[in-house]
Amino acid sequence: MKKSWVAYPYVVWMIMFIVVPLILIIFYGTVRTTPQGMEFTLEHFKRFFEPLYIMVLVRSLYLAFICTIVCLLLGYPVSMILASKEYRDKKILIFLMVIPMWMNFLLRTYAWLTLLEKNGIINTLISFIGLPKMDLLYNQWAVVLGMVYNFLPFMVLPIYSVLIKIDKSIIEAAEDLGANSRTVFRKVIFPLSLPGVVSGITMVFMPAVTTFVISRLLGGGQFLLIGNLIEELFLKSGEWGFGSALSIIMMILILFSMAIMSRYEKENEGGGLL
Amino acid sequence: MMRHLKRLYIGIVFFFLYAPILILMIFSFNKSRYMSKWDGFSLKWYADLFSDRDIMSALYYTLLIAVLSTIIATVIGLITAIGIHDMNKLGKGIMVNISYLPILNPDIVTGISLMMLFVFMKLELGFLTLLLAHITFNVPYVIFSILPKLRQMNKHLYEAALDLGATPFYAFRKVILPEIMPGVVTGMILAFTLSIDDFVISYFTTGAGVSNLSIIIYSMARVGIKPTINALSTLLFISVLLLLLIVNKRTSNNNGKEKVI
């Protein structure tokens, strides 16, 4: 009574809409048209190593890195507090943490656009206390702010879900053995929470590297991240070859770091957070 | 002392998370189109919103695509999950790993790869391509919501039903389906919210005339502030809140266990 055949229609779908598109990316990324027809080339990948494009990648990684660090520094204490005894039963706080994740991220980004603009609330407040208006928008800190705002819950929730599962008796044992609260944190709580930290870092860093919306809306035109570059190549200049090569590079980067991360994440299975 | 610090810190973080949204909501009732001053209460941006043909058509497409792609993805995902569950180890491994690709891949890569496929197939970018793209990224989430439930299920139940004379379909409907229903519902909710919320993949796979709300917001925000977006945000925020409250209530009534949210 094997009924594995019922999956076959999806096998067709999968090949058509998952496998073939990826093959297309690889195809366009490694081929150029000459008068004689198509030929294999690595020129698109070579082009990526021009300083201009390397800078774009470095900038994307740099901003995503800062965003991840800020999220970790801001988010870890939040998770700890939410998982602590006084707050543990306040499920409503976790619920409040989740809501922004379900809110359209364009609207969340747009909200900051309205706050930071020349005549926005923040500048109104600044001029109210007598200081000159500032250019808050369209620089890289606005982009980082937008990223942190969008991705902070993705850091808090995985760490929280690991922290509340830590066996309290381990902490008590450490305390009984004379560890002060700093040692308990350093030697017990933090190491045990690492799987959550790792998945939090993954969930923040990955979307931050590949975003093109936040950088476009809050960074204006001039802060080109790798996502913006890919978007322009496909939708404006129509350079599919180079765009595909960049996508391949990005994909390898992401899948590679996912593979590394997932080795640490194994213990975190059943965290239940999507 | 420590307690107050904790409370203050949590307060500041939640203020950071919610203040922008709340300010947006408050100013959606502002008479002036600028957010620098309050000119008095007005509902005119809401009136503008509902008379804006572009936004209304985007809302229509967003919901239509979400409903259609959820239904289709749930059916495909359900059937496929059952098939995968019965496969041998190799087949299962291949299926699971390939289905994982759209989840792991950056959205922008999924988006442009699908766009290239549709252009390559000479399909005109529009409603159909948008729907196909949404189904493609939804099915894996449905599969991965259902597979664990199938694994937990006692497989002898199905055999027992067959021994007692049930047809395979009857046994599926009466034995398997009720067991895996929580997974199916989770998958459906995930698929629906992902579809409603999607921007990146939709942006690359749709064509002129067919936009969803995210695309409209993006193209409006690129030009600058528009108070109708504030009104739209307010309405969307309230619907998300209501939806989450209902889902949360439902799941906590069901089994007191924490759910996927």
Side-chain angles (χ1 to χ4, degrees), chain B residues 229-241:
Chain B
I229 310 185
N230 301 4
L232 183 63
S233 314
T234 310
L235 295 180
L236 284 181
F237 183 75
I238 292 169
S239 357
V240 169
L241 196 65

Side-chain angles (χ1 to χ4, degrees), chain A residues 29-49:
Chain A
T30 54
V31 143
R32 78 170 153 209
T33 15
T34 56
Q36 288 83 39
M38 306 267 201
E39 66 171 27
F40 176 79
T41 175
L42 284 176
E43 67 177 31
H44 303 307
F45 288 92
K46 223 182 270 160
R47 188 169 161 202
F48 170 71
F49 288 98

Side-chain angles (χ1 to χ4, degrees), chain B:
Chain B
M1 181 59 197
M2 206 50 201
R3 272 190 50 200
H4 291 299
L5 267 182
K6 277 182 177 179
R7 189 170 291 176
L8 181 72
Y9 187 73
I10 288 289
I12 292 173
V13 169
F14 277 109
F15 179 78
F16 171 68
L17 283 177
Y18 280 90
I21 301 173
L22 288 180
I23 290 171
L24 210 64
M25 289 168 80
I26 293 168
F27 275 88
S28 70
F29 298 105
N30 188 5
K31 208 180 247 161
S32 158
R33 90 185 308 273
Y34 300 104
M35 291 184 60
S36 47
K37 58 178 192 291
W38 178 262
D39 265 6
F41 182 86
S42 147
L43 284 174
K44 79 171 178 201
W45 305 117
Y46 288 86
D48 274 12
L49 177 69
F50 286 105
S51 55
D52 188 317
R53 295 256 305 274
D54 288 344
I55 294 180
M56 283 299 115
S57 115
L59 178 65
Y60 167 75
Y61 281 123
T62 307
L63 291 175
L64 186 63
I65 292 277
V67 169
L68 286 178
S69 72
T70 303
I71 293 171
I72 300 171
T74 308
V75 172
I76 298 179
L78 174 62
I79 295 171
T80 309
I82 290 166
I84 292 178
H85 184 67
D86 262 10
M87 282 182 173
N88 57 22
K89 207 160 175 235
L90 178 72
K92 204 182 271 183
I94 293 173
M95 291 296 285
V96 166
N97 279 311
I98 296 183
S99 313
Y100 244 123
L101 277 176
I103 299 180
L104 292 183
N105 246 345
D107 277 357
I108 188 169
V109 174
T110 309
I112 57 144
S113 68
L114 282 169
M115 180 188 93
M116 280 160 80
L117 174 78
F118 295 140
V119 173
F120 192 76
M121 286 164 56
K122 307 232 159 24
L123 273 177
E124 198 188 333
L125 293 178
F127 184 78
L128 179 66
T129 54
L130 189 61
L131 182 63
L132 288 174
H134 277 235
I135 296 170
T136 303
F137 74 70
N138 274 338
V139 172
Y141 287 97
V142 178
I143 293 179
F144 292 120
S145 309
I146 297 177
L147 271 184
K149 296 283 166 212
L150 282 169
R151 227 172 288 136
Q152 284 164 16
M153 201 181 72
N154 182 347
K155 68 171 195 271
H156 301 302
L157 284 177
Y158 177 72
E159 285 160 12
L162 291 185
D163 287 347
L164 293 168
T167 61
F169 183 69
Y170 187 80
F172 167 75
R173 214 159 44 89
K174 290 285 177 186
V175 178
I176 298 183
L177 200 55
E179 287 277 315
I180 61 175
M181 210 48 196
V184 178
V185 173
T186 308
M188 258 173 88
I189 293 171
L190 259 179
F192 188 77
T193 44
L194 284 168
S195 169
I196 282 216
D197 229 30
D198 178 67
F199 167 71
V200 178
I201 296 171
S202 311
Y203 181 65
F204 287 104
T205 52
T206 189
V210 183
S211 302
N212 63 15
L213 282 176
S214 304
I215 296 175
I216 284 276
I217 297 166
Y218 181 62
S219 53
M220 279 175 146
R222 243 174 5 168
V223 186
I225 313 289
K226 221 175 161 186
T228 37
I229 310 185
N230 301 4
L232 183 63
S233 314
T234 310
L235 295 180
L236 284 181
F237 183 75
I238 292 169
S239 357
V240 169
L241 196 65
L242 285 178
L243 198 74
L244 276 181
L245 279 173
I246 293 168
V247 170
N248 228 37
K249 190 132 180 82
R250 223 191 75 90
T251 46
S252 56
N253 283 353
N254 267 358
N255 49 9
K257 265 196 306 193
E258 269 174 84
K259 262 284 138 67
V260 210
I261 304 188

Side-chain angles (χ1 to χ4, degrees), chain A residues 197-211:
Chain A
V197 172
V198 170
S199 62
I201 290 175
T202 320
M203 287 173 80
V204 171
F205 188 77
M206 303 300 161
V209 170
T210 61
T211 184

